[in-house]
Structure formats: structure tokens, C-alpha cells
Amino acid sequence: MPSLATQLTHFYRSLRPPRGLPPGIGVLYPQKDPEVMGITAAFFDKFFADSRPRHLLLGINPGRFGAGVTGINFTAPRQLAEHCGLAHPFKPHSELSAEFIYEVIDAYGGCVSFYGDFFLSAVSPLGYIRDGRNLNYYDDPALLRAVTPFIVRSLRRQLDFGFRRDHCLCIGGEKNFRFLQQINEQYGWFDRITPLAHPRFIMQYRRRRKGQFVRQYVDALREAAGTRRHR
């Protein structure tokens, strides 16, 4: 069986943006750039070059300043270099969500421990932009209708890689959780889905309580990793 790194690399290289998007909405697909895809593949090779079953953490969709640059979910250029140890050609900027997530990763035990147990993905593996700004897949009803079949296909493909289905962690607040719950009720992918607050919301509006949210994340991660039942 191919390693998870091999399967993930093929998945991102072979993504095709959904058709029929509403006028004025563009797609954020950084991996179509060979240089970005090379960095993404190097990241996968470093942390996922095995067939160990992992749990999924599903965010909303990539944004312009994190995965939109590096191709790696919740990972801006600074975190890619300083935490993941990967050299890259990007400007060394950071991003709020990435800063929070890598505090969580450090608290969990570091990148090797975290990525040995989890993979950070997104409900929609591609991002969306309107008027030069990030757009969540659920922010526009016509966009949601257009991308739902793409989301379902993408999640099915990833689950075929052997991810664990007993427990999924959903990052991104109520709307992302509600949509994921709805499609999970239809397809029965996960036994349990735990919602977690969006890192950007925490960093912008609840920064004084950041330590509490980091502990909340780590507790949820440890609970999931400690669950031994596996389909």
C-alpha cells in the first residue's frame, strides 16, 4: 500500500476546481504552482511517509495567507520554517490561525508527535476569493450549492487513504460543524465529530483566554488519539 505521503501528494496534484461557481468568485489552488507543490510534497514526505492511521482535523477552506501560500493547511511560511524545519522561497510572514495551531502542536508534543497522530485538512481542500478577500464555502448559498459535490468527492477520496473514522475534529465554529454534521448524517463517515473554535476568532476576540483554548484543543486531541476503536 502506498504511504500516506504518496497518496496525499497525488490528491493535491490531481485536484480539479469545481465548475459552475457564481460570477465573481475565484478559486485558491496554490498547489497548481509546481514550486508550491514541491514544498507541499516535501512536507508530506517528512511527516507522513508511512501508513499509520491518523485522525482528521477538518478546517473550513484554505485562506490567502496560510495554506494559500504554502499549500499546507494552517501553516504559514514562518511556521513552515521554524516549526516544521522546511526551507522555502516564501516571504517569512506569519498568520494568526497558524500561530494558534502551532501553539497547540507544541503543547501536544511537537510536529513529529502531532503529525504522527493527525492530519490537518479542510472540508473544502480549495479556497475561494471574492473581491480579493477570503470567502468561506458556506458564505454564499450559490457557492455552497456549487461546491458541495466537490466537497463530498474530496472527503471520500481522503477517507480512502485510511484515516480513522471513530473521531473527527472540526475546526471553524458552528457553520462548518453544522455542514459537516449534515453530510456526515447522509454518508455515515465518522462515528463522532467534535467542534473546536476557529483559531482566528480566538486570536482576534478571545486572546486573553488563548491558553484555555489551547488546553481545550489539546484535551480534544488526546481524547481522540486515545480512542482505540478503528474501522
Side-chain angles (χ1 to χ4, degrees):
M1 180 178 179
S3 70
L4 181 55
T6 298
Q7 295 182 87
L8 288 170
T9 297
H10 177 72
F11 171 73
Y12 281 98
R13 278 190 173 135
S14 62
L15 280 174
R16 295 295 178 265
R19 298 180 178 180
L21 297 185
I25 295 179
V27 174
L28 188 64
Y29 181 18
Q31 294 90 354
K32 68 181 178 182
D33 182 321
E35 188 171 47
V36 175
M37 190 64 238
I39 296 294
T40 304
F43 172 82
F44 293 154
D45 287 341
K46 181 167 185 177
F47 294 109
F48 302 101
D50 56 65
S51 299
R52 179 177 176 176
R54 292 163 169 85
H55 286 95
L56 283 168
L57 283 87
L58 294 175
I60 300 169
N61 44 242
R64 290 175 298 150
F65 302 117
V69 175
T70 65
I72 300 161
N73 288 302
F74 292 103
T75 305
R78 184 178 300 170
Q79 287 74 35
L80 186 59
E82 295 181 1
H83 293 263
C84 302
L86 288 170
H88 58 74
F90 314 123
K91 293 181 180 179
H93 70 256
S94 187
E95 191 266 343
L96 287 178
S97 293
E99 290 174 11
F100 177 82
I101 287 296
Y102 276 86
E103 282 197 44
V104 170
I105 289 173
D106 285 345
Y108 188 77
C111 287
V112 172
S113 295
F114 175 81
Y115 287 121
D117 292 334
F118 299 95
F119 177 65
L120 282 164
S121 189
V123 170
S124 173
L126 300 181
Y128 307 97
I129 298 175
R130 182 165 58 194
D131 298 327
R133 302 180 66 179
N134 290 331
L135 185 69
N136 296 324
Y137 69 84
Y138 51 68
D139 284 339
D140 182 292
L143 174 63
L144 179 59
R145 287 193 297 271
V147 303
T148 294
F150 167 74
I151 286 172
V152 171
R153 289 194 304 270
S154 298
L155 287 173
R156 278 177 168 162
R157 283 185 65 192
Q158 291 175 82
L159 287 169
D160 285 343
F161 300 161
F163 288 113
R164 293 181 61 170
R165 301 191 184 199
D166 54 330
H167 199 163
C168 172
L169 302 175
C170 178
I171 300 174
E174 180 182 353
K175 291 182 179 179
N176 197 42
F177 175 62
R178 187 165 62 237
F179 177 77
L180 185 58
Q181 282 275 60
Q182 288 172 352
I183 58 174
N184 190 58
E185 287 173 6
Q186 184 175 357
Y187 296 104
W189 291 325
F190 304 108
D191 295 341
R192 177 183 176 190
I193 303 174
T194 296
L196 295 166
H198 197 287
R200 179 167 288 277
F201 171 82
I202 295 167
M203 297 293 276
Q204 285 186 321
Y205 304 109
R206 298 290 186 271
R207 190 181 284 264
R208 290 184 179 181
R209 295 170 52 197
K210 182 178 65 173
Q212 175 184 337
F213 282 103
V214 168
R215 289 192 296 274
Q216 184 181 86
Y217 263 68
V218 172
D219 287 346
L221 293 171
R222 287 178 175 157
E223 181 180 1
T227 303
R228 294 304 176 191
R229 189 161 61 88
H230 173 50
R231 283 183 189 166

